[in-house]
Amino acid sequence: LNLCSERNCDIIGYMNSDILIPRSFFDIFLESKDAYLFSRVDIDEVTPRQLNEKKFRVIWNEHPGCDGFFFKKEWWLNNRDSFNNDLIIGEPKIDDYYMLLIPSLTKNYIFKRLVYHTYHETIWSALSVGGKHNTRIFEQLKRELGK
């Protein structure tokens, strides 16, 4: 995100590489928020047309985590020191960390279930080295915030 903030843009962010984004997704950035958190809906395999026309079968509509985080670049630059740079992207608990920290830094954020994911069995584990690492950082944040 720090590298992204060096670009000439207004909004920066990160999204998991296996997330499907419909055209309508980008409209959310018309709302002036400091942070945008995106959760997913798991669906069957789909073509781009089916995705954009919302013609697919939902498999799971209650995924608990987030698959994307975006920020107004100016807000990120003012708040980036509050985020732990040792978190490992793609490992468990980074989303929990961001979902806990962001509301403590701003009330001007949005959490939406606007992205999609082709359902497959979970292959990651919170017991991986990276998962354990991120869990330690997340648990430290919970203690600091009294949660």
Side-chain angles (χ1 to χ4, degrees):
L1 291 170
N2 287 326
L3 288 173
C4 291
S5 69
E6 295 174 7
R7 308 306 305 170
N8 183 20
C9 62
D10 296 326
I11 297 174
I12 61 170
Y14 163 82
M15 187 162 296
N16 290 346
S17 63
D18 62 349
I19 293 302
L20 305 171
I21 305 170
R23 279 191 197 106
S24 61
F25 168 80
F26 297 97
D27 295 340
I28 195 71
F29 295 112
L30 297 173
E31 296 186 38
S32 183
K33 302 292 182 185
D34 294 328
Y36 307 80
L37 291 69
F38 298 105
S39 190
R40 73 183 194 221
V41 173
D42 282 321
I43 61 174
D44 250 343
E45 287 189 29
V46 65
T47 66
R49 183 177 181 168
Q50 290 169 319
L51 180 68
N52 286 315
E53 294 177 359
K54 296 192 177 192
K55 294 181 178 176
F56 47 75
R57 184 171 70 95
V58 173
I59 296 174
W60 189 25
N61 196 27
E62 299 176 16
H63 188 272
C66 273
D67 289 271
F69 304 92
F70 290 79
F71 306 94
K72 291 280 184 171
K73 182 171 78 172
E74 182 179 344
W75 185 88
W76 173 258
L77 291 171
N78 291 331
N79 290 277
R80 63 182 171 185
D81 291 340
S82 299
F83 291 79
N84 189 311
N85 287 328
D86 290 332
L87 287 162
I88 301 171
I89 290 177
E91 289 287 347
K93 292 296 184 186
I94 189 169
D95 57 339
D96 293 329
Y97 178 93
Y98 274 47
M99 289 188 310
L100 182 60
L101 180 60
I102 290 167
S104 76
L105 298 173
T106 181
K107 300 300 177 215
N108 189 29
Y109 73 95
I110 195 163
F111 175 85
K112 291 275 190 179
R113 196 172 297 276
L114 289 181
V115 296
Y116 300 92
H117 175 262
T118 303
Y119 179 80
H120 58 78
E121 293 297 322
T122 301
I123 55 175
W124 55 263
S125 169
L127 301 176
S128 68
V129 173
K132 289 178 183 178
H133 172 81
N134 282 357
T135 298
R136 281 191 298 275
I137 294 171
F138 172 66
E139 292 298 329
Q140 177 184 348
L141 177 65
K142 281 175 48 178
R143 286 189 299 277
E144 289 171 4
L145 296 177
K147 304 278 180 177

